[in-house]
Amino acid sequence: MTANILNGKELALSIRKNLKQQVEVLTNKPCLAVVLAGDNEASKIYVKNKLKAAEEIGIETSLFLFDTDVKQSELENLINKLNEDKKVNGIMVQLPLPEKIDEKAILNLINPVKDVDGFHPYNIGLLQNGSDKAVIAATPKGIIRLLENTSIDFEGKNALVIGRSQIVGKPIAMLLLNKNCTVTVAHSKTQNLESLINQADIVVSACGCPKLIKGESLKQGAIVIDVGINRIDGKLCGDVDFESTVNKASFITPVPGGVGPMTIAMLLENTLIAYQKQNKL
Ligand code: NDP
């Protein structure tokens, strides 16, 4: 058995093409404000890619740059200003923020309607309620789209989520639960991870441990979503050992080219949805 590759790059491209067509017909374009503070090199690359992708589909962007020694009050003032600015439809704060900044306080200040990352407690609460009005964080939303693309019946499937972060693990676990999967969430204190992997029909790994999941641990025919972005000797790899898994899984996402491109596409989709809500379209 050789797994089907879940090509996130291809799916993301078709989503972006569709979004572009929707933006093209709008007289006033949606606007995404991006806040980047500090000098994290990976963050700079992520922001550059997000801005480029937004501009490609006709979304206007504003970038707000701050040094590592930015004050909490400066960021809070900016968020308040962006919340008030009628031209701005979406606010995205690139994480992590510099160490001395209270990250939660900044995220909680964003108007939930402009919270295109879906990190505000209001949107997390809506997600927990299973509401279709929730703004869902881009990475978990992209993962669900990839899974939907396999045409699997989610109901009753054993889903294992490895990782419990606010941005990936917890929201994807909730989304899978809302789809009637039986969900297990593993983390760094979990015992018997191997046996949990072995029982799972769907494995979503977001722990940032290079090649932690090997083919021999998997149930035959499992669907494997690899969120991890890691490097071994400078070479990009996921949390899944692709070579040993590709002959055991039924579907697998590659790294790169799986979840990553979907994350960007979903951020753009969330920005357009925010625009539509604010303009009552
Ligand atoms: P975090 O560091 O916030 O969370 C990692 C989680 O993994 C924690 O819950 C941690 O447990 C758990 N964990 C760590 N080691 C193990 C282990 N050995 N076994 C089981 N669980 C473990 O990371 P993020 O959620 O932000 O990101 C996870 C990975 O996904 C990273 O590689 C990141 O780069 C990537 N990523 C990719 C994105 C994409 O678009 N492709 C988007 C976002 C992230 P505990 O809570 O106990 O510490």
Side-chain angles (χ1 to χ4, degrees), residues 23-202:
V23 172
E24 256 163 15
V25 297
L26 299 171
T27 343
N28 298 315
K29 303 300 177 195
C31 175
L32 173 66
V34 177
V35 182
L36 173 63
D39 52 11
N40 182 316
E41 288 308 318
S43 291
K44 286 183 194 168
I45 296 170
Y46 293 144
V47 163
K48 192 174 141 214
N49 291 342
K50 287 170 187 175
L51 292 173
K52 186 167 169 265
E55 283 153 18
E56 268 169 18
I57 67 156
I59 290 178
E60 289 172 2
T61 60
S62 314
L63 174 62
F64 297 87
L65 287 172
F66 294 91
D67 291 335
T68 310
D69 61 2
V70 61
K71 291 193 180 66
Q72 182 83 21
S73 60
E74 285 179 85
L75 290 176
E76 292 186 356
N77 289 342
L78 173 68
I79 300 295
N80 284 328
K81 215 176 87 193
L82 295 173
N83 280 339
E84 293 299 315
D85 190 338
K86 290 211 163 41
K87 285 204 301 290
V88 172
N89 305 108
I91 304 171
M92 202 228 91
V93 177
Q94 184 64 41
L95 302 180
L97 287 171
E99 246 174 59
K100 62 178 174 33
I101 298 294
D102 180 348
E103 210 164 80
K104 267 198 187 137
I106 301 295
L107 297 179
N108 293 358
L109 207 58
I110 298 174
N111 180 342
V113 183
K114 296 191 177 186
D115 170 37
V116 285
D117 262 336
F119 296 158
H120 191 283
Y122 179 81
N123 283 313
I124 295 169
L126 287 180
L127 167 63
Q128 180 145 340
N129 282 348
S131 165
D132 59 4
K133 295 197 169 47
V135 180
I136 297 166
T139 303
K141 189 176 183 181
I143 293 170
I144 289 292
R145 288 290 171 81
L146 281 165
L147 286 170
E148 284 172 346
N149 225 32
T150 67
S151 304
I152 57 146
D153 179 7
F154 287 87
E155 201 161 303
K157 291 282 186 298
N158 283 334
L160 172 67
V161 176
I162 307 175
R164 56 175 165 178
S165 71
Q166 294 287 350
I167 63 167
V168 191
K170 283 182 185 167
I172 188 60
M174 193 52 68
L175 286 166
L176 290 165
L177 191 60
N178 291 348
K179 282 197 166 286
N180 294 326
C181 289
T182 303
V183 182
T184 305
V185 181
H187 47 79
S188 68
K189 309 289 185 288
T190 296
Q191 295 178 4
N192 311 323
L193 183 62
E194 292 281 303
S195 74
L196 295 175
I197 294 172
N198 187 253
Q199 290 162 43
D201 303 302
I202 301 169

